[in-house]
Amino acid sequence: MDFNVKKLASGAGLFFTRAVQYTEEKLGQAEKTELDAHLENLMSRADCTKNWTEKIYRQTEVLLQPNPSARIEEFLYEKFDMKAPSRVTNAELLGLYMEGAAQEFGAATPYGSTLLKVGECEKRLGAVEKEFIQTSAISLLTPLRNFLEGDWRTISKERRLLENLRLDLDACKARLKKAKLAEAKTACEGDVAPDLNETRPRNYVLSASASALWTEEVEKAEQDLRLAQTEFDRQAEVTRLLLEGISSTHINHLRCLHEFVEAQAAYYKHCHLHMQELQRDLGRLPDAFALNSLHSVVTPGSAAEDIGSPLEAEPLKIEEVQAPATGTRKAKVLYDYDAADSSELSLLADELITVYTVPGMDSDWLVGERGNQKGKVPVTYLELLS
């Protein structure tokens, strides 16, 4: 118990001394040993790396798991070294709900059969998302976390030690300076010849003794300063080597970033393929909208003929389309677009084209003209100008 109290008192005294040193440095009342410019630049670069890595890590977590409660739960499982239970993604849950609704409404009905198809696709999308989350956690999150919780903690520890040694070095310098001033003052007093008629000639003897004591103090302070300088230089070299390792960290994170991009590209590619497959499947299902519309406007006797008429309509031939005399507009292209076939017109972002509509064309498309080129263009890629 006595040892702990002494240790606590010693720590409090050291803390107070450090506080006084920091205050005097801020006020310009004490000298401060400056680090060399190279080491200062390395520290600044390391701080920048840590700050941005932390932001990227946190936002990547949000991207992969938007639910904050789920993130906290995963964090607790990780801290307690427990395996987190498998979590159903939102897309998988939506797919399950759609399949359940299809069973209630009847899988043979147009609505029920469509719900089944869309629900199956959503479950596949959820599985792809789960695989993307797992891959991204391994390829990007884990290396970033290892840097923040491993390498950066080591760097911070060595930097704190370097700062403490700098304070010790400055304290030795201040002690040596005070000792030399006191020695010089005592020496000046000792140079005065003693007055033998003085009632107390022993003051001269005391002055000589004090001069010897201050000389000894100066020698001890110089020895402490040399030792403090050696320890400071050694720690500065250790810290410099660790900080120069930040370049290797950047290279490692660059590789991890490439892996993350590849995983994200694969995720969106699979999602696109699943959605294209879903669109093809939905196109094979009976057109409930057309059936309802035709049944509401035709007589029972002519229903069969009218239902077949849309299927017999000839496709729109772009080369035969002529621009109307009025109704053409200018449009600015928002994104690049690659034509899927000869009837479409490829687009480049920010270019201006002339657009117009023709009877019988899908409302999601317009006819676009650029010089002698003409073809269908998607409305969502355009900004119509007045």
Side-chain angles (χ1 to χ4, degrees), residues 25-46:
E25 289 176 357
K26 293 295 183 182
L27 297 176
Q29 298 175 357
E31 295 183 4
K32 178 181 178 181
T33 300
E34 299 294 341
L35 302 175
D36 63 85
H38 178 59
L39 189 57
E40 289 282 4
N41 291 335
L42 289 176
M43 287 185 175
S44 177
R45 185 164 176 256

Side-chain angles (χ1 to χ4, degrees), residues 22 34 50 179 216 264 300 348 371:
Y22 275 120
E34 299 294 341
K50 182 261 182 182
E216 182 181 352
Q264 199 168 27
L348 294 175

Side-chain angles (χ1 to χ4, degrees), residues 248-319:
S248 300
T249 299
H250 285 186
I251 295 174
N252 181 40
H253 289 179
L254 175 62
R255 178 182 57 80
C256 296
L257 192 60
H258 277 282
E259 294 178 358
F260 172 72
V261 171
E262 291 176 1
Q264 199 168 27
Y267 165 64
Y268 287 120
K269 179 182 178 181
H270 287 130
C271 289
H272 181 63
L273 292 175
H274 287 316
M275 294 308 299
Q276 284 185 321
E277 183 181 354
L278 175 62
Q279 287 179 316
R280 287 194 296 269
D281 291 341
L282 294 181
R284 300 189 190 102
L285 296 176
D287 192 347
F289 296 107
L291 289 172
N292 292 338
S293 175
L294 291 169
H295 277 296
S296 63
V297 298
V298 301
T299 60
S302 62
E305 296 179 3
D306 291 339
I307 291 174
S309 59
L311 300 177
E312 297 171 359
E314 294 184 359
L316 182 67
K317 296 182 179 180
I318 292 296
E319 61 272 9

Side-chain angles (χ1 to χ4, degrees), residues 56-66 71 141 145:
I56 294 172
Y57 175 77
R58 299 303 178 197
Q59 194 56 38
T60 305
E61 279 190 322
V62 174
L63 172 68
L64 299 179
Q65 179 51 265
R71 293 201 301 273
L141 280 183
R145 184 170 61 246

